[in-house]
Amino acid sequence: MIAARLLRLAAVGTASVGGLSGAAYGLLNEQSRYARRVIGPPGNGPLNADGTYCPEHFGGGAGAAIPPLEFAVLGDSSAAGLGVEVATELPGVRLASGLSEELERPVLLRTHAVVGSTTRGLEAQIDEVLRRPPRLALVLIGANDVTTRIPVSASTGLLEQGVARLTEEGVAVVVGTCPDLGVVRPIPQPLRSVVRRRSLTLATEQRRAVERSGGHAVPLADLLSPEFLTRPVELFGPDRFHPSAAGYEMAAELLLPTLCDAIGAWAGVPVPKAPARSAAVEARRPTRRFVARLNLRWGHRAEN
């Protein structure tokens, strides 16, 4: 779904770098076509395993008298769990099961995520959620905003409005910010640098918007990019674009503490504060690269 939009993004990427030649423009277009061929169309649609999840120790009807915590999942294909083959591997199911164990009570999962959704489609999902407001909601959105060229200000404005609507109804909201699309290796350079820059910029602004509207942000690009870069075979699915079951599991482990903390139920170690600047952005600052080269050079000299 996202790959099909890379060709359109290439033209904007060319303009964003400023004054590139026709040859460079052609290169980005060709790279977009290549990425589309390699990634291909999505396979079967995502599984659905909505329902009530209970702690393992409950057994039988032990938890029948305890009302379940209602948990909604909104967003795009990453929220829907596109690509997994077993229902228990869905991110929503992993999180509902994890929440039930942490809270020692049943958790009712409802998934409203739509494959291919952008932040412009989030309003319809929220309308559906608010027919019966849950106690807790997770939103994973942003990658399609990058590839469909939705301006960052428009994207984050819609997200802020959506999170505010939920929080005003008493829903605790956690948002996993836009992933770093620069880790998707089928997207060749320099097009990969274009989507990386755009996705990291969006993630930073999403965090600010979420916090302004009373939600909790989890910077997935900062927390997951290093792992996906070094373990792509394990953490990406067969299309090399969407996460594998192991990739979704890693994301769920990072999201669970903040979900518990959002409802005042986290009893583990303190939830780490999100970094002010993306680690990936920080690593590419000119001064940081210059210092790194100096350290490398002086290190070689010291060894000699």
Side-chain angles (χ1 to χ4, degrees):
M1 183 67 68
I2 297 175
R5 296 163 178 154
L6 288 171
L7 185 58
R8 295 193 295 271
L9 179 63
V12 178
T14 303
S16 70
V17 220
L20 291 185
S21 66
Y25 177 84
L27 172 64
L28 288 176
N29 276 336
E30 180 54 38
Q31 289 183 336
S32 296
R33 295 188 186 97
Y34 170 79
R36 290 178 61 187
R37 290 195 302 269
V38 172
I39 296 171
N44 297 329
L47 302 173
N48 186 289
D50 287 2
T52 301
Y53 293 83
C54 297
E56 290 184 2
H57 69 272
F58 267 26
I66 303 176
L69 177 135
E70 298 192 17
F71 172 48
V73 178
L74 304 83
D76 54 24
S77 58
S78 59
L82 183 65
V84 304
E85 298 179 354
V86 180
T88 54
E89 297 173 342
L90 290 166
V93 172
R94 288 190 184 277
L95 289 167
S97 299
L99 284 166
S100 70
E101 294 294 337
E102 290 290 336
L103 304 176
E104 297 188 337
R105 64 180 290 189
V107 172
L108 174 60
L109 169 67
R110 289 196 178 93
T111 303
H112 303 271
V114 176
V115 174
S117 182
T118 69
T119 309
R120 286 174 176 161
L122 196 57
E123 183 178 9
Q125 295 182 33
I126 293 173
D127 288 342
E128 190 175 334
V129 167
L130 290 180
R131 291 176 184 172
R132 181 177 174 176
R135 176 69 183 89
L136 180 64
L138 170 68
V139 180
L140 299 176
I141 201 84
N144 292 314
D145 293 56
V146 173
T147 59
T148 54
R149 312 186 315 253
I150 297 176
V152 170
S153 58
S155 176
T156 54
L158 290 168
L159 180 62
E160 184 171 353
Q161 293 170 20
V163 173
R165 285 184 63 197
L166 290 167
T167 57
E168 286 167 3
E169 294 295 326
V171 182
V173 182
V174 173
V175 176
T177 57
C178 184
D180 178 3
L181 296 183
V183 303
V184 182
R185 298 197 176 192
I187 305 175
Q189 294 287 17
L191 181 58
R192 197 190 315 164
S193 294
V194 174
V195 296
R196 164 169 281 169
R197 182 171 62 252
R198 288 177 173 272
S199 57
L200 292 176
T201 298
L202 177 59
T204 299
E205 295 304 317
Q206 280 182 323
R207 176 192 170 191
R208 293 170 179 164
V210 168
E211 292 176 349
R212 284 195 301 267
S213 53
H216 304 257
V218 178
L220 294 181
D222 289 282
L223 299 171
L224 291 176
S225 292
E227 295 291 341
F228 275 77
L229 282 169
T230 56
R231 300 161 57 192
V233 175
E234 178 185 356
L235 298 180
F236 279 108
D239 65 2
R240 298 169 61 197
F241 191 90
H242 293 93
S244 65
Y248 283 122
E249 180 180 18
M250 181 172 291
E253 289 174 353
L254 294 172
L255 290 163
L256 181 60
T258 304
L259 286 166
C260 292
D261 187 56
I263 56 174
W266 179 243
V269 296
V271 177
K273 186 177 180 181
R277 181 191 293 269
S278 165
V281 170
E282 181 70 20
R284 292 200 305 278
R285 291 177 65 191
T287 53
R288 176 62 63 87
R289 294 199 301 268
F290 178 70
V291 171
R293 286 196 295 268
L294 282 180
N295 288 338
L296 182 62
R297 180 178 301 176
W298 283 106
H300 285 313
R301 289 186 180 180
E303 291 175 1
N304 295 332

